[in-house]
Amino acid sequence: MLGGRLSSGGHRADSLHQIATRTKGDALFRGIEIIILTPSPRKGQAKAETHKSVLKLIHILPKVDDTTRFIRIPRRTNYQYGNAPQILPHQAAMMKTKTPSFPQQSIDVLLSPRRERIEQAQSDLEIDGVISSSQLRRYYGLEPVDLAGRLLTVALIRPVASRPALEVQQTLVVSGAEIARLNDTDLNHKLTLTETRLMLGIEADPEVWQVNPKPSLKLNQPDGVWISEGQRVAIEADTGQYHMRIVDQKLDSFAQQGYASTIWGTGSEGRAKNIEKKLGSRYKVSFVRPSWWAA
């Protein structure tokens, strides 16, 4: 017998126990093996071991056929909502008072007419490579269908490695075919970097923002470089895949290469606190929480 649950991190241990106890007698009598598919490599394995005479847990992640995954956004000749700004000046003033404050660059974009916001989003996408529907609404006041000519997909992503039950299904817009071929893990990483840039209010301008800079030496390179007031700041997008030893190596490498500081972006507050506790005294590093899926 084959079953499974590929959402919310798979079956809980108590669910596996109920499945096994309800079917064990009949399964042993009939010589039936029960196979359960799960997206988590660890969740429920201990309980499955208890009932290994009839129950087997197999770790598997659903794969998507990239040839049909993306569609191209059709071009539009008119805009349903006209060409008005997304917010008014008094709303912009209120946004500045919030904690944390909304980046001034994004406020300026939202105060712009709709066509200018579309042009800005299209231009920024050339640098970022991918943007989520939440990011488009929050920072540009747009919907994915506004970015005509781009490739669009709906992806199911687990954005934080330490939280397998956290699943985010969102519409993504990508800059072109090369980005379209990336797997969900790589898309998550790029979305995290996009969110870090947006929440810091950094322009998508090669003069101040460089993505995946080419290494001059065989050293760890940051995901992005922010040139701020003449100084180079390393930007790292961390989705929880790095062991602490790798984090240490990266921070040490950035320091050796002369970066003024490092901004470490991670969606996990616990991970940020752990890195700061273990390595914060050795390196000049600050932390942000780039939750690209947030409304």
Side-chain angles (χ1 to χ4, degrees), residues 105-124:
Q105 172 171 319
S106 296
I107 291 176
D108 292 340
V109 170
L110 294 173
L111 285 167
S112 302
R114 186 177 186 81
R115 289 188 179 87
E116 291 184 18
R117 285 183 276 124
I118 291 173
E119 291 176 2
Q120 187 67 60
Q122 290 276 26
S123 175
D124 292 354

Side-chain angles (χ1 to χ4, degrees), residues 58-229:
I58 296 180
H59 171 228
I60 185 171
L61 288 174
K63 294 184 178 180
V64 181
D65 179 3
D66 288 340
T67 61
T68 59
R69 175 175 180 171
F70 291 85
I71 62 171
R72 191 167 298 278
I73 302 172
R75 299 195 177 277
R76 304 167 67 186
T77 57
N78 53 33
Y79 298 101
Q80 180 181 354
Y81 303 103
N83 195 35
Q86 178 67 13
I87 60 173
L88 299 174
H90 75 276
Q91 293 173 308
M94 292 179 60
M95 294 172 74
K96 293 179 183 179
T97 64
K98 292 183 177 180
T99 304
S101 61
F102 204 70
Q104 182 61 48
Q105 172 171 319
S106 296
I107 291 176
D108 292 340
V109 170
L110 294 173
L111 285 167
S112 302
R114 186 177 186 81
R115 289 188 179 87
E116 291 184 18
R117 285 183 276 124
I118 291 173
E119 291 176 2
Q120 187 67 60
Q122 290 276 26
S123 175
D124 292 354
L125 186 58
E126 286 295 322
I127 302 296
D128 295 324
V130 61
I131 190 167
S132 71
S133 54
S134 289
Q135 291 170 323
L136 269 174
R137 295 186 191 105
R138 185 165 62 249
Y139 294 106
Y140 299 90
L142 300 172
E143 296 294 332
V145 293
D146 292 316
L147 301 191
R150 299 297 188 179
L151 296 178
L152 176 146
T153 187
V154 176
L156 180 65
I157 295 177
R158 297 176 181 87
V160 182
S162 60
R163 298 175 61 189
L166 174 62
E167 296 175 326
V168 179
Q169 182 171 327
Q170 276 203 19
T171 300
L172 308 180
V173 183
V174 298
S175 58
E178 183 178 355
I179 304 298
R181 287 191 289 267
L182 295 178
N183 58 40
D184 285 350
T185 299
D186 291 336
L187 286 172
N188 181 32
H189 188 266
K190 290 188 73 66
L191 285 162
T192 302
L193 186 61
T194 298
E195 180 67 21
T196 301
R197 179 188 71 77
L198 288 167
M199 69 186 301
L200 292 174
I202 304 172
E203 293 182 52
D205 179 350
E207 294 294 323
V208 297
W209 178 251
Q210 300 168 4
V211 177
N212 294 324
K214 294 181 180 180
S216 56
L217 298 171
K218 291 183 178 180
L219 298 171
N220 280 303
Q221 294 298 310
D223 296 316
V225 175
W226 177 22
I227 302 172
S228 176
E229 298 179 351

Side-chain angles (χ1 to χ4, degrees), residues 11-22 43-44 47:
H11 282 293
R12 301 190 308 272
D14 58 340
S15 297
L16 293 173
H17 177 72
Q18 292 175 13
I19 292 171
T21 53
R22 285 201 309 264
K43 186 176 181 181
K47 186 60 66 176

